[in-house]
Amino acid sequence: NIIWQKLFKLGSYKIRKASQKAKADYEFLFMHPDGKQLEKLGKLVADKELEIRIDKEFDFDDLQAACDYVATGHANGKVIIDVVRI
């Protein structure tokens, strides 16, 4: 609704100004469970317009270590859990 839009616009003032100064695009995106947004994000990643920073990868057997690492607050990017078994 309009109130939430205004609040987020106000809350993102500093980052919007910083992105303008850096001549970068900034868009706040609420994720909804629909394929259209996931498709848009996939295209941005494929076109290298959106960078995904991966901090660490853990095997599924090291799930507790991954959770402990995230809990430290020192993750600088995504923490990946590999659940695929070959």
Side-chain angles (χ1 to χ4, degrees):
N1 73 32
I2 192 86
I3 295 171
W4 282 111
Q5 290 175 359
K6 297 292 183 188
L7 286 172
F8 278 102
K9 188 171 183 176
L10 180 64
S12 65
Y13 176 79
K14 284 177 78 173
I15 196 165
R16 286 186 294 112
K17 287 298 179 187
S19 68
Q20 287 174 350
K21 185 176 180 180
K23 297 182 181 170
D25 292 328
Y26 172 79
E27 180 180 341
F28 192 86
L29 178 68
F30 277 108
M31 289 301 298
H32 300 284
D34 65 19
K36 290 179 184 177
Q37 285 188 338
L38 189 56
E39 184 178 332
K40 181 178 179 180
L41 288 173
K43 183 174 179 353
L44 290 171
V45 171
D47 293 344
K48 299 189 188 249
E49 293 182 38
L50 178 65
E51 175 188 346
I52 299 174
R53 184 179 303 161
I54 297 175
D55 184 317
K56 284 193 176 190
E57 296 184 37
F58 291 87
D59 289 329
F60 185 75
D61 293 336
D62 297 326
L63 181 61
Q64 186 60 55
C67 291
D68 293 342
Y69 179 71
V70 170
T72 66
H74 295 289
N76 187 12
K78 299 297 178 188
V79 176
I80 306 297
I81 309 295
D82 184 3
V83 296
V84 176
R85 304 276 179 161
I86 297 177

